[in-house]
Amino acid sequence: MARIVTVTINPAVDVSTTVDRVEPVRKLRCRAERREPGGGGINVARVISRFGADVMAVYAAGGVTGQMLHGLVEREGVAARQVAVAGMTRESFTVLDETTQDEYRFVLPGPELSEPEWDACIEEVQRLASRDDYIIASGSLALGVPEDFYARLATAAKTSGCRFIVDASGPPLRRALEAGVYLAKPNLRELQGILDEPLEDRQSQVRACRRLVEQGRAEIVALTLGSEGALLVTRDAAWFSEPLPVKVMSSVGAGDSFLGALVWSLSTGGDCADALRCAVAAGSAALRAPGTQLCRPEDVRRLSPQVRLHPV
Ligand SMILES: Nc1ncnc2c1ncn2[C@@H]1O[C@H](COP(=O)(O)OP(=O)(O)OP(=O)(O)O)[C@@H](O)[C@H]1O
Ligand SMILES: [Mg+2]
């Protein structure tokens, strides 16, 4: 069975809470806080680990918050390799205003990494992954990390026969696609950003994904469309998935749940249509839970058969 290795170069300790109302000056007495390990790759590893697959989270972390992060990852039973860095791991703070139901998400920049530090992450991933394994790079880059970081990982993955998956935005995503990846999971805004096209209708979205496949930039493009569903395009086929109707409790975690379930399904031999159904079910399952919560496999299994696909 193939192993899945995730990479998180700028992870975070995600703190979330709720308050009756967010307003200036007065002290905002919050309800009990939740602390969870976070950052794209770590979240994807948490999802995949819940499905029982062989997954390993590689992340750069440092300082007392880095230690806390490691404890939180361990508590979830996710296998991990921490690459020690000098700077202090960031925290993210999410507050739900109970009156308006608005969610406020504060994201800190995190530490600056030196070249030996980010290079050590690439080396660690290369050590852990071998032929036919999956490497998932997800999340924003830390300060000091070059914009071709994911492109370098993509090239290293290709050299060792691994399947490289990227979930990023802006120049790091563009550079990774130039290097060539197995799978890319942009959302619409991220794809619009790198192609500099409006992509307003489904046809132009499908065409844009097809072009990436035909140009050899990605074997599979999974374009998530938020409340509109998702598209999955390969060389031979393309599907549009309708969204599942959900009452959104929190929009945090939908993308990571989608990607985790997608790769888990592919890694167990599922075909692309099965994987897309599973991914859309996972994205919806994450939205039903408050705060930075990820999908649970039992919900994904229950919801998957309800997902409707259309060939495009
Ligand atoms: N409001 C919604 N209603 C129904 N389904 C949704 C909604 N938002 C997201 N989803 C589901 O979750 C999937 C992933 O969501 P989205 O496109 O928002 O990813 P993302 O922008 O990468 O999210 P994130 O902010 O977590 O990175 C969608 O393809 C869809 O199936
Ligand atoms: Mg995303």
Side-chain angles (χ1 to χ4, degrees):
M1 182 75 94
R3 158 177 277 189
I4 303 168
V5 177
T6 74
V7 193
T8 318
I9 198 70
N10 198 14
V13 171
D14 286 335
V15 185
S16 59
T17 185
T18 67
V19 67
D20 55 2
R21 191 169 192 120
V22 176
E23 54 191 19
V25 185
R26 87 175 167 90
K27 275 184 190 163
L28 304 177
R29 303 264 175 212
C30 300
R31 314 250 180 277
E33 73 271 31
R34 294 173 56 90
R35 267 199 187 76
E36 283 163 298
I42 288 181
N43 280 336
V44 173
R46 292 167 65 202
V47 169
I48 294 170
S49 163
R50 290 177 189 187
F51 280 98
D54 175 12
V55 64
M56 176 75 79
V58 174
Y59 56 87
V64 287
T65 41
Q67 278 170 21
M68 192 196 299
L69 177 66
H70 202 56
L72 293 168
V73 169
E74 241 173 20
R75 188 182 71 182
E76 292 221 0
V78 177
R81 289 274 194 285
Q82 177 174 353
V83 174
V85 301
M88 191 174 332
T89 294
R90 64 184 174 151
E91 289 161 288
S92 294
F93 193 53
T94 301
V95 185
L96 177 73
D97 179 318
E98 287 171 344
T99 308
T100 62
Q101 289 295 308
D102 285 327
E103 205 171 42
Y104 295 84
R105 298 168 70 175
F106 298 88
V107 177
L108 300 173
E112 181 163 348
L113 267 54
S114 67
E115 179 163 351
E117 289 173 338
W118 55 257
D119 204 39
C121 291
I122 298 181
E123 275 175 22
E124 190 61 40
V125 172
Q126 281 182 294
R127 239 197 311 278
L128 291 167
S130 45
R131 178 158 290 282
D132 295 333
D133 286 350
Y134 295 80
I135 297 171
I136 307 177
S138 172
S140 60
L141 300 185
L143 294 170
V145 178
E147 66 176 33
D148 68 349
F149 179 71
Y150 289 154
R152 288 174 195 239
L153 271 169
T155 304
K158 216 183 279 181
T159 309
S160 35
C162 300
R163 289 172 267 214
F164 185 74
I165 293 139
V166 63
D167 181 0
S169 61
L173 172 60
R174 188 182 309 120
R175 299 291 294 267
L177 289 168
E178 282 163 11
V181 305
Y182 166 69
L183 190 156
K185 192 225 81 68
N187 62 25
L188 186 55
R189 188 172 25 79
E190 289 158 350
L191 190 63
Q192 285 164 334
I194 58 158
L195 297 179
D196 202 18
E197 290 175 39
L199 306 177
E200 271 156 3
D201 55 276
R202 199 75 71 233
Q203 285 314 312
S204 63
Q205 292 160 6
V206 174
R207 269 200 304 274
C209 295
R210 278 222 170 96
R211 220 176 325 127
L212 290 176
V213 173
E214 279 157 12
Q215 291 168 342
R217 297 181 182 245
E219 287 177 43
I220 303 173
V221 179
L223 173 65
T224 59
L225 304 164
S227 60
E228 305 262 288
L231 277 169
L232 191 135
V233 177
T234 70
R235 184 165 286 282
D236 312 314
W239 294 271
F240 166 68
S241 169
E242 291 177 26
L244 286 176
V246 284
K247 181 174 180 296
V248 178
M249 295 294 291
S250 164
S251 64
V252 183
D256 295 334
S257 294
F258 178 101
L259 184 59
L262 184 74
V263 178
W264 169 75
S265 178
L266 291 171
S267 77
T268 57
D271 63 26
C272 285
D274 284 341
L276 179 58
R277 259 187 226 104
C278 184
V280 168
S284 320
L287 299 168
R288 294 169 185 222
T292 49
Q293 287 189 37
L294 299 166
C295 65
R296 295 180 311 173
E298 56 269 36
D299 295 328
V300 176
R301 291 199 174 94
R302 184 171 45 79
L303 293 171
S304 289
Q306 297 171 26
V307 177
R308 290 164 55 112
L309 301 191
H310 305 275
V312 285

